[in-house]
Amino acid sequence: MLLTFQKGLLACFILSLIACGSGSGGGSKSANSVSSQALSIASSLSSQASSALSQVSSSAPSLASSQSSSVSSQTSSVDSSVSSQASSVSSSVSSQASSVVSSSASSNSTSSSNVSSSSSVSSSAASSIPETISGKAAAGAPIVGTVWVKDSNGTVRNSAIELDGSYSLNVTGMTAPLLLNARGTVGGRTVNFSSIAQNADLGGNINITPFTDLIMANVIGQITQNYFDSPNFAQLSDSQVEAARAQVTARLQPVLSALGLAAGLDLMRESFNTDHTGLDAALDVLRVEPDPANNTMTITNVLTQQQIVDDVTSSSDTSSLPNPGSLVAALSDFDAIMVLFDTFAAQFATSVPSDNAPAFLALFDAPNYLEGGSTDPNQILHDDPGTAWTFGNYSIVEKISDTQWLISATMFVDDQPINEVAEWYVNKVNGVWKIAGDQQQSYVDVYGQVWRDFNSGQWHYDSHFELDIESFNTNVRYVVIEGPGLNYQYPSQYNSAKGVVFDLSVGGLLNADGSDQGEWLRDCAAYPNVVCFTRAEVEVGRHYTVRTYDSSWQQIGSSFLRPLYAIPPTVSYAQTNAASLFPLITGVRKGDNPITNLAQATAGGDLTVTWTLPEAVGICMNTVGYQVDGSAGYEDSRADDVACDATSGTVTTTAYSGTATWSAVWIWLEHPGGIEYGGNQEFKP
């Protein structure tokens, strides 16, 4: 669907044993005996627990919310040892204490990631009621991803973020302060925000938003992007955090007041709903953009374009945002625009509208409409838009004027976001908001991928950007993209462009000698002699300019900006964490017959591919495909309607008319950060 979419147990068993006696004030001698013996067991297992804890803590953020198989194995071993010895203890006590122990053990051995160091065990029994931290993880829309928590002992836990941005973490046994980190996507862009909970916050509400990230940056004097991985807890005192919170709130207060928010609002602890009211409205209106190179954060009011730059290394940098005046009219416009998007999606509730359907065309500013080179809104209906989907998670990209805005909206299928984003201009025509399309002469999708294939007895990996570029304007031949990290220099016959040149006539990137490089823009470190990107210089954000040209290199239309949402990880990272990143093909068959050779694979018919999924939060399968090459040329087919949690899919193929030299089936899976991971199974003569 072409709507400018961007691709996109070590249980704390011993701790619970000592909690049985006095958690509710009614402990018995038998239970106290259990406590003493449990402490002895805890001491004897300390080195094992510490080892498993160390490995989980060091690897957790890089595993995208799944534990590595090696840690799981060691943790399982320790848990088995704990269970065995605890069972011996329980058999030596009264039936009442045994029942308490058994209940406590059961309730505390359910999570494979809740690893606590033995230093948290004390002679006084802990409360049997688990401590929690909960709140919202949002940035103008709920974050699609995972919340992580780390304490000063290095203990790490995580939890998936709910559809409304809510999260809840069991932090029982962890030592405050607790560093919180939310990672995922909002409106297709990758986000990484931090927050903090002190001892007094246990059991309370702590948000994770761009505002809390701004507060944290002012506490530590640097951008927070990688801080969670190597924190310095000595910096995170109550007084330092509260001072930064007060200062940041004061700097934002003119806009907060204009939105009707009280001066005493606590940006970290205020409960709110992700419904574009209250604190959520402030997250809609204020954009915070970090600059790691200069340790600054630019705070912009997207409704007025007023902004300030916060030098997070300086406590004397205290300038406030200007008073924006009344924002009532602008917020009313935003409400009306969201209704427009909802009305558009409703046209596809049960079927695709017919061409020129009045209710459909009434939603467009037809004289000014432009979408991927097409000026006809009916084109949307011809591109397999699907049905029964909705829009949600609306974000204001930019307010250009009182009568033109740029809005992003995430697609939902079965009430689940599918990492597909529509980004459209809307124009106010005679007081009514209308869709004006993306205002681009071509579709330009750039998304990160890591591919692996198995041949010659080993896995081979490739980290790259996939460029999906096309145009409905038949006069457009060349698309040039320029920006950070795109340093490839072309000769004069390609307009002396510096960046990347995509030739629509061949459907791929061009090298300086005119050869076709395909759709993969590779890392210059691995491919220095072809068009490539410099990894250290590429930047996430709206930093890339796109220009379209005809075959004579005359520019068509205006240049436009396209965002880069995420950067693919290095090959080294992908190799190390493959088990938590990649799906793995386990079989191919036609009907009940396994496909094991090239002749079978190229005979035509429906091929059913099966696979296993990595243990990761928020992943989504998106494609299963087939390809063949030989004397009759290259052919492929694909199925894009794969369910997120599917472990099999079917792709329709036709019999190859020539002599095939190679064939394969392949699959792609998308992680919450927007990066795709894929692989294949090959068939050769």
Side-chain angles (χ1 to χ4, degrees), residues 456-475:
S456 301
Q458 61 182 332
W459 288 108
H460 300 268
Y461 294 78
D462 193 297
S463 176
H464 57 264
F465 288 106
E466 166 89 9
L467 275 68
D468 184 6
I469 300 178
E470 55 186 302
S471 176
F472 290 112
N473 185 339
T474 57
N475 293 319

Side-chain angles (χ1 to χ4, degrees), residues 308-322:
I308 57 174
V309 177
D310 180 11
D311 178 358
V312 300
T313 67
S314 172
S315 59
S316 60
D317 183 11
T318 60
S319 60
S320 299
L321 281 164

Side-chain angles (χ1 to χ4, degrees), residues 218-230:
N218 277 270
V219 171
I220 64 177
Q222 67 183 67
I223 302 303
T224 68
Q225 186 172 6
N226 299 313
Y227 188 76
F228 185 86
D229 300 325
S230 302

